[in-house]
Amino acid sequence: MKYKWLNKQNNKKLIIFFNGLGMDENAVNHLDTEDYDIVMFYDYNNLETDFKLEEYDEKYLIAWSMGVMIATNFNFGFKSATAINGTLMPIDAKFGINPKIYDLTIKGFNPEKFIQNMFEEPTSIKVSREAENQKSELAAIKNYSSKEDFKYNRILISDNDKIITTKSQCNFWGIEPNIKSGHCPFFLFKKWSELL
């Protein structure tokens, strides 16, 4: 697992962002950091990290897609935790991506189609990840699971999610969709604090 500081200004508040499968910072670079330091975790080919948490008065979690499951394994004492378009069982016939479809996605991985499905509208966003790295990450994620005692206090579900279907998310969380978007909803927002 890798991490990257998106903003580090010795602020008193920290947002820890667990990114989605195959992604980098390009989906969130437009978000205003305000008075938050922001660190992003990504590339879940393994879950090992040398990240050392520094002292912050307040720590917040924002997790997206497969990051919703991954983040539950790293509880840094969050003041709040937001899950965006993901579940704690993201590879599951009822609560996530059907395992058969997931395996077919690995077998025939197409990075262009993968990005196309991430975004509701055609996008010029480029992801600086190698296709083989993304494909191996897909396979690695099958070996992970959630810590089931982890609690999210805010859930955002898009109404047109083609990756982890809207229906699967609604089945898991027991709520209706609450944002109008595809799998990547970040362009609906202008600043990180709107996601807390």
Side-chain angles (χ1 to χ4, degrees), residues 21-22 43-46 66 69-70 91 102-107 109 114 129 131-144:
L21 170 70
D43 188 348
Y44 309 123
N45 273 285
N46 64 65
M66 289 294 177
M69 172 186 67
I70 301 295
I91 306 172
Y102 194 89
D103 287 341
L104 286 172
T105 302
I106 297 172
K107 186 176 180 181
F109 183 68
F114 177 75
R129 299 270 305 272
E132 280 304 312
N133 178 265
Q134 293 171 314
K135 183 177 179 179
S136 62
E137 184 184 18
L138 265 169
I141 283 175
K142 290 182 66 177
N143 299 315
Y144 308 144

Side-chain angles (χ1 to χ4, degrees), residues 15-175:
I15 291 174
I16 296 178
F17 173 52
F18 276 79
N19 209 339
L21 170 70
M23 300 302 288
D24 61 13
E25 67 272 21
N26 286 314
V28 295
N29 264 342
H30 66 285
L31 296 172
D32 187 347
T33 59
E34 302 172 280
D35 59 344
Y36 295 87
D37 281 359
I38 316 280
V39 65
M40 172 188 75
F41 287 96
Y42 67 109
D43 188 348
Y44 309 123
N45 273 285
N46 64 65
L47 297 187
E48 297 172 7
T49 180
D50 62 358
F51 177 73
K52 299 285 191 297
L53 182 64
E54 300 168 22
E55 287 299 318
Y56 285 91
D57 291 348
E58 298 173 3
K59 299 178 288 291
Y60 301 88
L61 170 65
I62 296 172
W64 173 41
S65 187
M66 289 294 177
V68 172
M69 172 186 67
I70 301 295
T72 67
N73 294 278
F74 301 90
N75 193 342
F76 294 114
F78 300 111
K79 185 171 182 179
S80 70
T82 302
I84 303 170
N85 289 336
T87 76
L88 302 188
M89 299 172 65
I91 306 172
D92 184 89
K94 184 177 181 181
F95 296 126
I97 301 168
N98 188 297
K100 292 180 181 177
I101 294 172
Y102 194 89
D103 287 341
L104 286 172
T105 302
I106 297 172
K107 186 176 180 181
F109 183 68
N110 180 318
E112 289 77 24
K113 186 176 180 182
F114 177 75
I115 293 298
Q116 179 184 332
N117 286 336
M118 279 276 185
F119 301 93
E120 189 173 34
E121 303 296 333
T123 181
S124 60
I125 284 189
K126 303 294 183 192
V127 177
S128 56
R129 299 270 305 272
E130 296 293 331
E132 280 304 312
N133 178 265
Q134 293 171 314
K135 183 177 179 179
S136 62
E137 184 184 18
L138 265 169
I141 283 175
K142 290 182 66 177
N143 299 315
Y144 308 144
S145 60
S146 297
K147 295 280 190 277
E148 294 188 6
D149 58 346
F150 190 95
K151 302 296 182 191
Y152 282 95
N153 58 285
R154 186 180 186 196
I155 313 297
L156 297 179
I157 300 176
S158 289
D159 64 350
N160 189 31
D161 196 321
K162 296 187 176 100
I163 302 289
I164 302 175
T165 67
T166 301
K167 181 180 179 182
S168 291
Q169 294 181 57
C170 293
N171 286 341
F172 184 82
W173 297 112
I175 63 172

